[in-house]
Amino acid sequence: MLALLVVTVIAAVRSTDLFAAAILFGIYSFLTAILFMDLDAVDVAFTEAAVGAGVSTVLLLSTLRLTGRYEQRHKHSPALPLVVVGLTGAALVYGMTDAPDFGDPEAPAHTHVAKRYIEDGPRETGVPNMVTGVLASYRGYDTLGEVFVVFTAGLAVMMLLGTRVRGGRSSGREAIGDLLVLRVVGKVLIAFVMLFGLYVQFHGDYGAGGGFQAGVIFATALIVYDLVFGEADARRVMPHIWTERLIAIGILIYLGVGVAGMLLGGPFLDYSKLATDPVKGEHLGILLVEFGIGVAVFGAVMSIFNAFSGLRLPSEGGRDDV
Amino acid sequence: MIFQHLPILQILIPLLAAPLALLLRTPLLSWALALVASWASLAVSVALLLRVLAEGVVVYELGDWAAPWGIEYRIDALNGFVLIIISLIGAIVVPYAKRSVEAEVQDRRIYLFYTMLLLCMSGLLGITITGDAFNLFVFLEVSSLSTYVLISLGRDRRALIAAYRYLIVGTIGATFYIIGVGLLYMSTGSLNIGDLARLVPALADNRTVQAGMAFLTLGLSIKAAVFPLHLWLPNAYTYAPSAVTVFLAATATKVAVYALIRVVFTIFGGVDLFEAFGVHTTLMMMAIVAMFVGSIVAVYQGNIKRMLAYSSIAQIGYIILGLSFDSVTGVTAGIVHLFNHALTKGGLFMAMGCIALVAGSVRLDDMAGLGKRMPVTMAAFVAGGLSLIGVPLTVGFVSKWYLIKAALEQGSMLIAMLIVLSSLIAVAYVWRVVEVAYFRDPPDGDTAVREAPVSMLVPMLILVGASVYFGIDASTTLDIAGAAAAALMGVGG
């Protein structure tokens, strides 16, 4: 697996065909996801597959539509970056020589804080999936921060590319022609993808999954709709202003849960105060927070995708505002 | 109840305001919200610092999970002081930004601008207040992403390239930081800064920990623009919108330096870092080179914003020099200069923003006769410039006085001389501007007074005034910085 990973990444870097490179990076993410699976990190694998292999590839491809397929040859010499990369690699190898053995149950990473997450997590948070427990409760504040990172990234793309709705939007038939197979398959697929998204959203406390993955999956369903049935139709389902609002609303749900804990007498993000039974409260809090994450991530991915697909090739308009 | 929640309110106020500003979608309302949030944030940070000074360290456990299992906020004199720097500059920049942003940013992006500014503020405050190394990274990301966008909004197309450069370099810095955190987690199993400080000394000979230290230091040095890792800074400051330059120059690098202090003096405080790895001499050498190279390059700049940016690199050199003395006096000098330089540079860049608005250019050649046409702005510039040089009765003097004192404590006459010498170079670059603005006639003979709007002049005068006030009566700032330094060195022993 690792060898395949190395081969893929070298191929991706060396390729001047950016289209191929984007697909290779998709494969790279997928391989990483399988590696994570192999290490029993199901939740991480899931995220990597949904975000890395799925949405990132779509976004890279939409960027390529704007830039052009082939890379220009660089003029600057690779000497300095090579030295920097070499030193970094050397430092990492040096650091690894004293690292605990792989899979050592006595390693500090397993015996210090993780011990409590594993042994008491499900009991204290009321959710059987301890990854969700750590993410949404013990370190719920970090997760809030991560949602803000997603929020910032979504806004950043909107700000740089502009969100102005330009004329000349195409609906289905003009967009990719009347491809019957694509339309029928698309219709069926979208329903299942959305159903799966809902499952991942509300089942994250028992199995792998949660708001991040669900938001991305849901967005994928809409992106497929956009691609198959055209932007105009997709925009009718989800108007632009709403994708922007959804990011804010998702975040406000998360913050709201946190503030509710404060108003009920605990510190910020103390879910145990949300119900009379502290464990039930924890569980409820985690569900609500995951929902907020799902909404915000969906909004952010959609905003980013819209910002890219809203742009035409430079000859057709390009950055209208510079 | 409010009182006990102060630590989280510090972050929660700007954090809540950001999505709300997005929902409002109108320039005026978003600005008003940012104004309220930034002033409320300032009030909270003042209340927090007063509490810390009265009661000692304030701890707040998020989600009611005790550290190291959960994330805690831990405020002592040091980060309480840095919180004040950020929120003070924030509260003064927002009113200043209104007119400047209207002139420099497109209308339909203004609400996004304030959302980003609030996010950037929350990110910087979040880095400062947290007691958790990973939580620090999360907020580092929030502040970095918003910073890149804010820089890219500059009118000049080169702003985009500057932002992109900074994005690449900044991402490398952040990645180094997180690799360092990962290595430390691998060998200690903890992410809590206080917990790490307890666990690390026993592992000082562990190579994983050593590599972790190298990655943490290097990553944060990039973000702090410590020489020679400063190359992203001049363009970013030059091409960003004026209000953004003011905010970033006064806060962003300061916060990175703060994080660096935490790593070096708290996490690795128990290890005799300075002795063991020669970090001491390396930092000192880099700081001294930065003081000279930054100042000398500044003398040759035609764009005054860029000149001030290079001067910032020299000033960061002074801060690092103070830290590298590894003595209470030296660290006090470094910490107090964080505050003093924020005031000075904030005021100077505000003057640049006024000039950009009224005269339309910040190039030296276009500044002829500005002393007559914009008397208030140029007077503020001169006062700020005096503080950069370190003339008595300004904050710059206080910082340099302490630096020299620290150098003499170590018996190093040479370094004391070098500090004075590098300050003389500052005279040269400040004088160039003064000469053109006051002793050259405007090209078209137009000497009618045209000043920037009051909403920009007042914030500028507040910052410049503060840099004189705290230069005359430095006891407050020095007491706090001294307490912070003593606490740090107490841990470091």
Side-chain angles (χ1 to χ4, degrees), chain B residues 181-201:
Chain B
V181 172
L183 289 171
L184 286 191
Y185 181 73
M186 191 183 229
S187 37
T188 62
S190 182
L191 293 170
N192 183 278
I193 292 177
D195 203 27
L196 282 172
R198 274 188 295 281
L199 293 167
V200 159

Side-chain angles (χ1 to χ4, degrees), chain A residues 88 91-92 94-100 108-109 112-114 116-117 124-125 137-139 141-142 144-146 148-149 151-153 155-156 158-160 162-164 241 244-245 248 251-252 255 259 262-263 265-270 273 282 319-322, chain B residues 5 8 11-12 15-16 19 22-23 25 60-65 68-71 73 106 108-109 111-113 115-116 119 132 134-135 138-139 141-142 145-146 149 152-153 157 160 176 179 183 185-191 195 205-208 210-211 215:
Chain A
T88 311
L92 276 175
Y94 175 78
M96 282 306 125
T97 51
D98 247 5
H112 191 49
V113 289
R116 172 165 168 195
Y117 297 148
E124 287 183 338
T125 60
S137 189
Y138 288 111
R139 300 193 65 90
Y141 189 63
D142 272 347
L144 175 66
E146 290 296 347
F148 267 96
V149 173
F151 175 77
T152 316
L155 284 192
M158 276 165 49
M159 263 175 122
L160 291 178
T163 54
R164 179 108 48 91
I241 184 158
E244 188 182 318
R245 276 186 195 151
I251 280 208
L252 288 174
L255 287 171
V259 174
M262 268 165 81
L263 294 177
F268 184 65
L269 287 177
D270 182 1
K273 301 284 187 297
E282 280 288 335
R319 268 185 67 139
D320 62 328
D321 40 47
V322 178
Chain B
H5 287 301
I8 187 64
I11 308 301
L12 200 56
L15 215 51
L16 252 174
L22 180 71
L23 287 176
R25 283 190 79 94
Y60 187 85
E61 288 166 352
L62 288 145
D64 211 11
W65 298 112
W69 294 277
I71 296 162
Y73 273 0
Q106 293 152 325
R108 65 192 173 81
R109 285 191 180 159
Y111 76 102
L112 288 168
F113 175 90
T115 311
M116 279 296 169
L119 282 172
D132 187 282
F134 186 79
N135 193 242
V138 172
F139 280 92
E141 285 288 274
V142 173
L145 281 176
S146 46
V149 177
S152 73
L153 289 176
R157 275 212 72 124
L160 270 180
F176 275 21
I179 290 176
L183 289 171
Y185 181 73
M186 191 183 229
S187 37
T188 62
S190 182
L191 293 170
D195 203 27
D205 295 329
N206 184 299
R207 285 197 286 266
T208 311
Q210 290 168 2
F215 275 107

Side-chain angles (χ1 to χ4, degrees), chain B residues 49-50 53 76-82 84 332 335-336 474-487:
Chain B
L49 186 64
L50 289 176
L53 293 178
D76 57 16
L78 172 61
N79 56 355
F81 190 49
V82 179
I84 293 217
T332 306
I335 295 171
V336 89
S475 53
T476 330
T477 47
L478 279 174
D479 283 350
I480 299 171

Side-chain angles (χ1 to χ4, degrees), chain A residues 47-136:
Chain A
T47 316
E48 182 67 41
V51 179
V55 173
S56 314
T57 315
V58 172
L59 291 180
L60 281 177
L61 293 181
S62 3
T63 316
L64 285 187
R65 206 190 55 173
L66 301 174
T67 53
R69 185 166 168 172
Y70 293 96
E71 182 183 15
Q72 283 167 0
R73 277 269 149 240
H74 295 299
K75 285 181 217 85
H76 61 80
S77 97
L80 181 68
L82 202 68
V83 171
V84 173
V85 171
L87 280 178
T88 311
L92 276 175
V93 171
Y94 175 78
M96 282 306 125
T97 51
D98 247 5
D101 288 336
F102 180 72
D104 179 6
E106 294 303 313
H110 303 299
T111 52
H112 191 49
V113 289
K115 204 164 178 231
R116 172 165 168 195
Y117 297 148
I118 296 169
E119 287 172 2
D120 302 334
R123 188 170 48 77
E124 287 183 338
T125 60
V127 293
N129 180 356
M130 54 194 157
V131 176
T132 308
V134 174
L135 271 184

